Amino acid sequence: MKTKGINHLALVCRDMAETADFYTRALGMPLVKTVALPDGGQHFFFDCGGGSLLAFFWWPDVPPAAPGIAAVKDFPAEPKSAVGSMNHVAFHLDEDELDASIARLKAAGVHVSVPIVVNHDDSPMGVAREMHDGVWVRSVYFRDPNGVMLEFAATLRDFRPEDIAHAPARAAEPAEA
C-alpha cells in the first residue's frame, strides 16, 4: 500500500454558515463540494491546497465542544487533548508568506496566538525565541469559529536521518481508546 497524502480531514462544526464564511473569506479556501445528509446534516469540503481538502460535518443536534478533551484548549500553552481527539490542523505555507497571512488573519478579526510566530527547534523546550540555523519550522496558531486549533506551518528544510532521535514512549498504563 502506498498512500499519496491526505485526501481530506473531516471535522465537526457548530454552524455551517459561520464555518463556510471563515474558511472562504478569512482563509481564502474555496468551497468545492456540498452534501446534504439524509439525517438533516451537511458535509462541506474546502480546498486547502496541494490537492488536499478540509471537510466539515454539521448536524442540528451536535454535542457541544469539549476543549481540553476532544480538542486542544490553547496552543502552545495548553497543548494536550484526549486520546483519539484531533489536536490541531497545520497547513503548509511558504515562510515569506507568514507575515502577510498574520495580517490577513488580524484583518479578518481572527485572534492569533502569542508568541505570534513560533520557531520550532530541537532544543529541550522545542521552541526558540529567536530565529537560528536549528529552526526547522516556523508557525502561527489560531482558531476557527468552532474552536478548532489551526496552524500555518513553514517548513525550512528537508527532514534528515538524524531527525529520528527518540524511541517511541510506552505508557505505564495506556489510556483507553
Side-chain angles (χ1 to χ4, degrees), residues 123-137:
S123 68
M125 290 298 293
V127 295
R129 291 187 190 275
E130 303 296 325
M131 183 61 185
H132 63 83
D133 289 342
V135 173
W136 57 274
V137 67

Side-chain angles (χ1 to χ4, degrees), residues 105-120:
L105 291 170
K106 288 183 174 183
V110 178
H111 172 75
V112 179
S113 293
V114 176
I116 293 177
V117 176
V118 178
N119 298 308
H120 300 270

Side-chain angles (χ1 to χ4, degrees), residues 18-66:
E18 177 184 51
T19 299
D21 179 64
F22 177 81
Y23 282 89
T24 58
R25 186 183 54 78
L27 299 189
M29 294 181 183
L31 177 63
V32 295
K33 177 69 177 166
T34 63
V35 177
L37 302 172
D39 60 2
Q42 294 183 317
H43 192 30
F44 282 23
F45 294 78
F46 300 87
D47 182 343
C48 60
S52 298
L53 301 169
L54 186 63
F56 284 89
F57 283 102
W58 172 84
W59 293 279
D61 58 348
V62 69

